[in-house]
Amino acid sequence: GKGGHRHFMAKEIFEQPQVIGDTLSAMFNPTARTITLPDLPFDPATVPRITMIACGTASLAGMVGKYWLERHAGIPVDWDLASEFRYREPVMTEGGLAVFISQSGETADTLAALRYCKQQGQYCLGIVNAPESTIAREAHAVLPTLAGPEIGVASTKAFTTQLVVLACLTIALGKARGALDHETEARLSGALTEVPSRAAEVLNHDERIRAIAEETFVPARDVLYLGRGTSYPLALEGALKLKEISYIHAEGYAAGEMKHGPIALIDEHVPVVVIAPSDDLFEKTASNVQEVVARGGKAVVFADDAGVGRLKDLALETIALPAVDPFVAPILYAIPVQLLAYHTAVAKGTDVDQPRNLAKAVTVE
Ligand code: M6R
């Protein structure tokens, strides 16, 4: 059942503190504060390169993973959409690791990409939610997301648990390669253990986000989402979520790209969602908010208390999320973005759990 919620999507959004914790517990040792992955069929210390492949929301988790692995594990990471990758005959580094992210484990393009990578002699690692799926079976190794069944077509808890697995993979590879000193490892894993309780706090903003959705997003024809660094894939994810369930046109942009075109779209009719956790890019994002507001745009800012303090006079709306280590911000900032899409769709009266033209698993290309 829907656990007292109106839709599976709402139930699945609210399950996140629990399933994030479950996924983490499978890999995290709380006493030693270390991450232990199952035995992997490759040597993490010597993997020369990673290729991250998936579709849709799973691909956006992969993009966050790319940013994390490059920064904290010092490994070059290529990122690709499975539907592009599989037809390009990409050149692959010998002994490389290919990571396939999929909730269903049955997505046709992702599976085809996995088969190609196997032929190219890559170690194939699946990050999969359905343990009996084809991708789980055909991969050399699997790191499971323990999200439980996801029924809503819009991916929510699958996404955040994919992020948790990628965060653990980042810490484990960073350590194996000597890219993380002990102190940083402890800081990153400490930040991860806090995520379930912080996620529960974020869910307290549900009512407020519903009000903002009804007032500002339901009437909109177009919406922009902006972010930098790991908040850029979150901007893409926010736009994807809004499009697929509310049918409002939305685009995610790297905030630094605004001046290269999209700023021309801004006027008083366009809500602009800004994902701005306190990190080393915050000030840059803050100047983008200024530019948006100067052109009449309606900025809706997700930030922590410090960020809200800095931007509240400029923005139309601000939501103050808990202050967290920037490493885990993408996991937490996924939640308000999901709630915003959810409440907008509910208010518009669309079929939230089964949006038109979409299937839960895309098993044909
Ligand atoms: O089952 P998968 O994770 O392989 O599915 C990938 C995409 O089809 C999926 O994430 C899709 O983009 C969602 N409907 C987005 O909410």
Side-chain angles (χ1 to χ4, degrees), residues 205-274:
H205 292 287
D206 184 46
E207 265 309 302
R208 177 78 206 297
I209 293 173
R210 185 179 60 76
I212 296 173
E214 289 173 3
E215 190 160 332
T216 305
F217 289 77
V218 171
R221 198 191 59 179
D222 306 287
V223 176
L224 281 184
Y225 286 75
L226 302 180
R228 286 176 184 255
T230 52
S231 299
Y232 165 47
L234 265 290
L236 296 172
E237 169 60 3
L240 173 57
K241 215 94 295 176
L242 189 72
K243 275 185 269 220
E244 78 172 329
I245 61 170
S246 78
Y247 315 148
I248 294 172
H249 169 241
E251 290 196 57
Y253 266 99
E257 271 290 296
M258 284 298 282
K259 287 191 177 72
H260 300 281
I263 200 158
L265 293 172
I266 303 288
D267 64 18
E268 63 281 9
H269 302 296
V270 184
V272 181
V273 179
V274 185

Side-chain angles (χ1 to χ4, degrees), residues 105-246:
E106 302 295 347
T107 300
D109 286 326
T110 309
L111 179 59
L114 183 151
R115 290 176 177 158
Y116 177 85
C117 287
K118 269 180 136 176
Q119 275 165 13
Q120 299 295 309
Q122 303 292 296
Y123 297 109
C124 295
L125 179 65
I127 297 179
V128 180
N129 196 46
E132 311 292 323
S133 60
T134 315
I135 292 175
R137 274 200 317 273
E138 293 196 16
H140 296 120
V142 174
L143 296 177
T145 51
L146 302 180
E150 191 182 65
I151 311 294
V153 162
S155 178
T156 53
K157 60 177 181 167
F159 178 68
T160 46
T161 53
Q162 284 158 357
L163 291 178
V164 168
V165 171
L166 287 161
C168 291
L169 184 67
T170 300
I171 294 172
L173 295 198
K175 194 178 171 195
R177 302 164 76 83
L180 274 187
D181 55 49
H182 190 74
E183 202 180 308
T184 314
E185 186 201 351
R187 175 173 67 81
L188 301 185
S189 16
L192 263 179
T193 54
E194 282 186 21
V195 171
S197 57
R198 296 289 99 81
E201 290 170 38
V202 173
L203 288 167
N204 290 331
H205 292 287
D206 184 46
E207 265 309 302
R208 177 78 206 297
I209 293 173
R210 185 179 60 76
I212 296 173
E214 289 173 3
E215 190 160 332
T216 305
F217 289 77
V218 171
R221 198 191 59 179
D222 306 287
V223 176
L224 281 184
Y225 286 75
L226 302 180
R228 286 176 184 255
T230 52
S231 299
Y232 165 47
L234 265 290
L236 296 172
E237 169 60 3
L240 173 57
K241 215 94 295 176
L242 189 72
K243 275 185 269 220
E244 78 172 329
I245 61 170
S246 78

